[in-house]
Amino acid sequence: MRLVNIFEIPENAILARSVYTSSGSMLLKEDTVITDKAIRALQNQDIHSIYITDPVTESIKKELNLEDEFDLKDVIDPLLRRKFNTELKESISNFKKTKGISNYSKEGENLMRQVEDISQTIVSEILLRKERQITLVDVKHLDIYDYEHSVNTAILSVIIGISFGFSERELLNMSQGALLMNISNELLEPFITSKHENLSQTDFNIIKSHPELSRQLLTDNTNANAFIKNIVLKHHERMDGSGYPKQLKSGDIDKYTKIVMIADVYDAMTSDRPYRKAYSPNEALEYIMAASQLFDYESAYAFSRHIIPYPPGDLVELSDRSIALVLSSNELMPLRPVIRVLSGQYINEIIDLKTKYNIVIKKRVVTMK
């Protein structure tokens, strides 16, 4: 299966993963043929991307007996994801009633208890999994984007933290920092965070105030520890001092924040926003790996080892202009998977790009035409 924008869905496409509303109700069931009516239903729910398959892909999958390889699994059960999104939204909404003007409050206590519980489940679930490769993009709803983004950033951060051998307490702190990093967003001008065009410099200056505002909210109203508040304050800093709000450089940024900032950027780039379509996983990964001045190299490399930029079921255009179906990934060379060529000189051949150096993937495509 492959992720496509709803405005680029080809004819005869079949829904590969069930789609739910932001409140958790099923909107479209897996194996549904995508019709104009279905696309309108997705638009009405502010869902801009879905996972699809098609008859040709399904035929090849059965021919090569690749059902297991093509059955992509999330690192967290989708039911748990929806539960986390709902619980985080409710907790932050209740907390926001204080508006940050009270001292340590019951709402603040409840918020931290809920965030700790969510983090404990995230850490426990991921530690139990043998496979921690990221093959799926978390499809967002625009109306609850902040919560879904924070939850997925926490999940991605924990996966990388585990690869560094962090203790459970460290993983919990990192997860809580990611979950709370945008807690002040609702206090910003709502027309800015939901804009359908690029932000002006004035808008961006307002947005840049959210790390300090979020940390102050936590300081005034909760018992969040220094590790959590550091992540909240510094997740938009960059290694070369070009970030915000303090223009800190690498030596002043802790190892937990260095991981969260990468997870934050990757998830934001691969999410649909009101003013742009989502970038593909390979585009987001290539950006992070190329921007060595912005991100900690060791953290970025560890992150790259867990991302599958071309998962099984993706359609790609090759450098010779032929179209191919991705069959499996190569762990040490994730940008050079095993493919089945569908057109051109090598049609019907299975090629391991790890050993075929004269062919590279040019881009992901939506259809075989």
Side-chain angles (χ1 to χ4, degrees):
M1 62 182 173
R2 58 190 181 275
L3 187 68
V4 299
N5 186 275
I6 62 171
F7 300 109
E8 299 173 347
I9 296 173
E11 292 182 8
N12 303 317
I14 303 164
L15 187 65
R17 286 171 64 87
S18 297
V19 177
Y20 294 81
T21 66
S22 58
S23 61
S25 302
M26 183 178 289
L27 181 66
L28 296 172
K29 187 173 175 56
E30 182 179 329
D31 294 328
T32 300
V33 176
I34 306 301
T35 62
D36 289 342
K37 182 180 178 181
I39 292 173
R40 286 194 297 272
L42 292 164
Q43 285 180 273
N44 290 337
Q45 290 293 321
D46 272 337
I47 299 170
H48 290 185
S49 295
I50 58 173
Y51 276 95
I52 67 165
T53 185
D54 57 75
V56 174
T57 299
E58 291 301 302
S59 174
I60 293 173
K61 180 175 73 174
K62 291 177 182 177
E63 173 196 341
L64 300 178
N65 194 28
L66 294 173
E67 279 84 355
D68 288 344
E69 286 82 354
F70 277 60
D71 184 21
L72 306 182
K73 300 292 187 184
D74 199 343
V75 290
I76 289 285
D77 187 292
L79 287 173
L80 276 177
R81 271 191 187 274
R82 293 195 292 276
K83 179 174 179 285
F84 296 154
N85 296 334
T86 300
E87 290 176 349
L88 185 63
K89 181 178 185 298
E90 291 176 352
S91 297
I92 291 180
S93 295
N94 289 333
F95 173 72
K96 292 292 177 58
K97 293 174 183 177
T98 67
K99 295 292 185 183
I101 59 174
S102 65
N103 290 322
Y104 183 77
S105 62
K106 181 179 179 181
E107 289 82 2
E109 183 179 348
N110 291 340
L111 172 69
M112 294 309 300
R113 183 185 303 112
Q114 188 66 68
V115 168
E116 172 96 20
D117 288 347
I118 293 172
S119 295
Q120 186 66 67
T121 306
I122 288 173
V123 171
S124 298
E125 286 288 316
I126 295 176
L127 283 172
L128 286 173
R129 289 188 176 269
K130 293 181 180 178
E131 293 293 330
R132 302 189 185 108
Q133 300 300 101
I134 310 298
T135 57
L136 295 172
V137 170
D138 182 41
V139 176
K140 308 290 196 304
H141 303 78
L142 293 185
D143 61 328
I144 58 169
Y145 168 80
D146 274 344
Y147 308 106
E148 293 174 323
H149 171 58
S150 296
V151 167
N152 203 49
T153 299
I155 291 167
L156 295 174
S157 300
V158 167
I159 290 171
I160 308 311
I162 290 172
S163 73
F164 278 109
F166 288 176
S167 68
E168 184 173 347
R169 184 67 259 170
E170 289 175 304
L171 296 173
L172 288 171
N173 284 333
M174 193 162 57
S175 174
Q176 290 177 82
L179 291 174
L180 293 168
M181 63 185 179
N182 294 323
I183 192 172
S184 68
N185 277 10
E186 284 186 11
L187 299 183
L188 303 176
E189 295 292 344
F191 75 88
I192 294 177
T193 54
S194 60
K195 260 194 169 184
H196 282 69
E197 63 267 6
N198 288 329
L199 298 177
S200 68
Q201 188 57 52
T202 300
D203 295 336
F204 189 52
N205 287 338
I206 293 173
I207 291 290
K208 286 166 67 174
S209 69
H210 88 264
E212 290 182 294
L213 181 55
S214 294
R215 183 189 63 168
Q216 198 59 49
L217 279 171
L218 294 176
T219 298
D220 291 345
N221 296 278
T222 77
N223 63 348
N225 64 43
F227 295 104
I228 295 170
K229 289 189 286 188
N230 263 338
I231 292 169
V232 169
L233 177 65
K234 299 178 182 180
H235 68 280
H236 283 296
E237 301 288 356
R238 296 295 181 257
M239 300 304 100
D240 62 356
S242 64
Y244 63 86
K246 300 291 188 182
Q247 293 77 53
L248 300 177
K249 291 190 176 183
S250 177
D252 295 314
I253 304 170
D254 60 275
K255 60 184 178 181
Y256 313 113
T257 303
K258 289 176 179 177
I259 290 173
V260 173
M261 71 170 63
I262 291 171
D264 174 44
V265 168
Y266 177 83
D267 188 70
M269 289 186 69
T270 55
S271 299
D272 289 301
R273 304 300 294 125
Y275 48 87
R276 63 154 173 81
K277 294 193 303 183
Y279 291 91
S280 64
N282 61 289
E283 289 172 324
L285 184 60
E286 288 170 7
Y287 168 75
I288 289 169
M289 294 305 295
S292 57
Q293 77 279 15
L294 301 181
F295 306 109
D296 175 65
Y297 176 78
E298 187 178 4
S299 301
Y301 179 72
F303 184 74
S304 72
R305 296 293 300 274
H306 289 81
I307 298 295
I308 306 298
Y310 298 111
D314 257 9
L315 280 178
V316 294
E317 180 182 331
L318 305 177
S319 51
D320 63 359
R321 296 188 177 180
S322 61
I323 302 298
L325 178 70
V326 176
L327 302 182
S328 62
S329 61
N330 283 308
E331 183 178 350
L332 296 180
M333 300 182 73
L335 295 174
R336 302 189 67 80
V338 178
I339 58 172
R340 166 80 169 264
V341 183
L342 304 178
S343 67
Q345 177 183 356
Y346 301 104
I347 188 168
N348 292 327
E349 285 192 30
I350 294 176
I351 298 176
D352 187 344
L353 292 179
K354 182 177 62 176
T355 59
K356 195 81 170 179
Y357 295 111
N358 62 323
I359 299 177
V360 296
I361 293 176
K362 185 177 178 182
K363 63 181 178 180
R364 295 172 73 250
V365 296
V366 174
T367 70
M368 300 181 190
K369 297 179 181 179

